[in-house]
Amino acid sequence: MNLKKVTLLVILLLIADQALKIWVKTHMALDEAIVVFPDWFQLRFIENNGAAFGMHIATNGGFDWGKLLLGIFRIGLSAGIAWLIVRLLRQGKETPTGVIAGLALIFAGAVGNILDSAFYGLIFSESTPYAAAHFGGHYAGFMMGKVVDMFYFPLFQWNGVPNFLRFLVDSNNYFFGAIFNLADAYISVAVVYLLLFQYKYLNR
């Protein structure tokens, strides 16, 4: 795999991520759900403020420093991954293709969510439970936009879940309760793949 192929892969991944997010944001009201497969898969539109650990360090003017710091961290992390990919590619055949592909997925996922935070507040109107957003609005400043999430897999209802496992269910006790987007999936799949199948290389 060379730099041109990696760049093309990242561009295609970003197009898929952004196309889905833009469609959801402009065609669905906030918290609206489309049942894809009954009982286990829905497209459910929510927005994530994206502040680290729920941190909202706001001034009297409402500026969210926690979100800004997280955005800067994400940009720095993405730059570091891009540098690592280029460095590994220069090693030629010494680096497995799977490692490069995994890092490309992580990079694309990170950049995909950065784009939401950086620009969606500048180009879209605010989403509400009553109407979909549209282009040409302005609901937040640069790096203050919300991340669009839509994949929801309420596999089964788990009543009586222990407190230490509450993070696995949603407010209605459905497992798996998290709602995520395509960029999140890129990162999760890549991390699991690298840990399971490329651990020997990573240990080196």
Side-chain angles (χ1 to χ4, degrees):
M1 185 174 284
N2 55 39
L3 185 58
K4 287 185 179 180
K5 291 181 179 179
V6 173
T7 302
L8 179 60
L9 173 62
V10 169
I11 290 173
L12 291 175
L13 291 171
L14 285 173
I15 289 173
D17 173 65
Q18 291 299 306
L20 179 58
K21 287 175 177 175
I22 291 171
W23 185 89
V24 167
K25 188 160 181 67
T26 57
H27 288 79
M28 298 177 68
L30 197 61
D31 207 36
E32 180 181 352
I34 297 173
V35 177
V36 181
F37 295 107
D39 300 328
W40 70 274
F41 178 30
Q42 301 175 18
L43 288 179
R44 184 173 179 178
F45 174 33
I46 67 166
E47 288 184 313
N48 175 7
N49 280 324
F53 308 109
M55 178 174 60
H56 298 284
I57 308 173
T59 64
N60 291 333
F63 189 80
D64 192 339
W65 288 99
K67 188 173 177 62
L68 178 62
L69 290 173
L70 179 62
I72 293 171
F73 172 77
R74 283 175 171 164
I75 292 171
L77 183 62
S78 299
I81 294 172
W83 173 83
L84 181 60
I85 290 172
V86 172
R87 184 167 181 263
L88 292 176
L89 285 171
R90 288 175 178 170
Q91 294 180 1
K93 296 181 179 179
E94 294 181 22
T95 305
T97 299
V99 171
I100 300 297
L103 291 173
L105 278 166
I106 294 172
F107 177 75
V111 172
N113 284 333
I114 288 170
L115 292 175
D116 294 29
S117 296
F119 300 112
Y120 278 26
L122 301 174
I123 63 175
F124 289 113
S125 64
E126 188 166 10
S127 297
T128 73
Y130 312 104
H134 58 80
F135 281 107
H138 181 99
Y139 74 85
F142 180 66
M143 295 303 298
M144 293 293 116
K146 298 175 183 177
V147 176
V148 174
D149 293 326
M150 77 292 292
F151 292 130
Y152 180 43
F153 293 89
L155 299 179
F156 57 86
Q157 201 163 22
W158 186 3
N159 294 313
V161 58
N163 286 334
F164 69 94
L165 293 177
R166 288 296 308 175
F167 69 95
L168 294 175
V169 300
D170 63 11
S171 58
N172 295 314
N173 290 333
Y174 275 101
F175 177 92
F176 168 70
I179 302 177
F180 58 98
N181 59 41
L182 203 52
D184 298 329
Y186 295 160
I187 296 171
S188 300
V189 168
V191 169
V192 171
Y193 167 77
L194 290 172
L195 291 176
L196 290 180
F197 299 103
Q198 299 294 342
Y199 64 92
K200 291 183 178 179
Y201 180 83
L202 295 177
N203 283 338
R204 291 170 49 197

